[in-house]
Amino acid sequence: MAAVLGCGRDAALSYGSAAALWGFERERRRAIEVSVGGRLVQGWEGVLVYRRFNLTPAEVVRKEGIQVTSVVRTLIDVASALEILRWRGPSTRSTDSA
């Protein structure tokens, strides 16, 4: 909560930290991730601040007294941060026994 409050009124817990608060992730990441609305905010040790121009008030809610990105916004953020795995197509290996 201190990280969110320290970043200002429009700050919200986001990305992996929001996912942990919503119960989607078991482990917390080392840094607490906070998003702010378009203005420049310098993070500090243990706090990673994202400058977000497209975060709307409808995408920020309160959970356990903490401003956090909504479930939908959190899922979108986490999905966008994942490394995209390349699909190699169907296997060309034969399943027939000789």
Side-chain angles (χ1 to χ4, degrees):
M1 181 186 276
V4 174
L5 292 174
C7 290
R9 298 172 117 191
D10 64 343
L13 202 63
S14 59
Y15 290 88
S17 298
L21 184 63
W22 287 115
F24 300 138
E25 289 191 356
R26 293 182 188 178
E27 294 181 19
R28 290 195 74 126
R29 298 174 185 195
R30 289 184 183 176
I32 296 171
E33 295 168 294
V34 178
S35 290
V36 297
R39 60 192 172 77
L40 188 58
V41 175
Q42 186 173 358
W44 56 93
E45 187 173 340
V47 178
L48 181 59
V49 179
Y50 296 94
R51 189 175 178 193
R52 307 280 296 269
F53 293 97
N54 62 345
L55 188 64
T56 67
E59 296 174 310
V60 177
V61 298
R62 284 196 173 272
K63 178 169 175 56
E64 299 176 19
I66 302 170
Q67 284 200 160
V68 60
T69 51
S70 68
V71 170
V72 172
R73 179 78 256 172
T74 299
L75 292 173
I76 291 167
D77 291 343
V78 170
S80 71
L82 295 174
E83 181 178 337
I84 298 173
L85 301 175
R86 293 184 191 201
W87 181 62
R88 297 178 187 221
S91 174
T92 57
R93 195 170 57 176
S94 175
T95 57
D96 294 329
S97 304

